[in-house]
Amino acid sequence: MGTLNRISRTLERLLEIITVVLMVSLTLVVLYAVVTRYAWRTPSWYDEVAAIMLVWLTYYAGALAALKRGHIGVDGVLAAMPIKLRMPVAYLSEALVIGFFAVLCWAGLVVIEVMQGMALITLRWVPLSFTQSVIPIGAGLFIIAQLLSMPAHLAKVRSGRTQEEEEIRHAITEAERDNARAGFTADALTKRELP
């Protein structure tokens, strides 16, 4: 499990860097467009570039969320099922997600093939196949993220724990630690005089 965790942490760090770079770049492009609009010389390329950057950001951030199992899910429904039903449903769910992104990856490759020789309207030197390459790359990253996070997720499902319960436990632990650092223990808080 150590190698899997190391690969997962490396991919997480890489996706975080890419996501932050895309977010900062998108912010700068939009900011540049707003500033230049007031100077009466709006760049013609910013709409197209900003839209593409937003799509790229969505795909890479989506893969990062998949790695952290941060997408919306209904773990409570799985946890409420009997174990004999819970695990097959969990495996089916994983297979459906991976299958969907495999189809998306294939469709993205078809899109790239269709777009060969075409370029952006405002930046003729940028090929559309490059801008659309995020579809198969993002889908592939999502599949990898899903596979890397799957063992831990299935272990949680098997035990009947949910993501929400773990997040609540983590928040309580952090709050107790912070309170202890500040000198607020449960005993001290109950002994305090109320106004």
Side-chain angles (χ1 to χ4, degrees):
M1 205 60 148
T3 304
L4 193 62
N5 286 338
R6 208 170 322 113
I7 293 169
S8 185
R9 280 193 307 271
T10 302
L11 180 61
E12 181 178 347
R13 188 72 181 134
L14 177 66
L15 289 172
E16 284 173 349
I17 290 168
I18 292 170
T19 300
V20 168
V21 166
L22 284 169
M23 202 176 317
V24 169
S25 300
L26 177 58
T27 303
L28 292 174
V29 165
V30 171
L31 212 64
Y32 173 75
V34 168
V35 169
T36 56
R37 178 176 293 146
Y38 288 105
W40 299 104
R41 54 180 190 93
T42 304
S44 61
W45 52 265
Y46 92 92
D47 270 339
E48 197 171 25
V49 170
I52 290 165
M53 290 177 79
L54 182 60
V55 171
W56 281 40
L57 178 61
T58 302
Y59 273 94
Y60 284 103
L64 178 60
L67 188 61
K68 294 182 175 192
R69 291 287 167 155
H71 287 284
I72 294 173
V74 190
D75 292 345
V77 173
L78 272 178
M81 291 179 179
I83 189 74
K84 288 183 180 181
L85 185 58
R86 183 185 321 151
M87 293 314 294
V89 170
Y91 285 118
L92 176 64
S93 171
E94 295 296 313
L96 288 173
V97 169
I98 290 169
F100 171 79
F101 281 97
V103 170
L104 184 63
C105 185
W106 170 79
L109 292 171
V110 170
V111 166
I112 288 174
E113 189 175 319
V114 169
M115 301 273 178
Q116 288 297 326
M118 296 181 189
L120 292 180
I121 294 169
T122 56
L123 299 173
R124 301 297 303 163
W125 53 272
V126 179
L128 274 178
S129 57
F130 169 72
T131 64
Q132 301 306 311
S133 68
V134 74
I135 299 170
I137 292 170
L141 285 170
F142 201 107
I143 291 169
I144 292 167
Q146 197 76 9
L147 290 172
L148 287 172
S149 62
M150 191 185 308
H153 174 69
L154 291 176
K156 279 186 215 170
V157 170
R158 191 172 289 109
S159 71
R161 295 185 324 245
T162 66
Q163 182 80 15
E164 293 84 16
E165 289 171 341
E166 292 209 353
E167 289 171 1
I168 290 169
R169 281 192 199 116
H170 180 70
I172 290 171
T173 303
E174 282 186 352
E176 287 173 343
R177 185 189 65 232
D178 292 344
N179 285 340
R181 281 187 195 152
F184 298 125
T185 62
D187 291 337
L189 289 173
T190 55
K191 291 178 185 175
R192 273 175 54 184
E193 290 184 26
L194 298 173

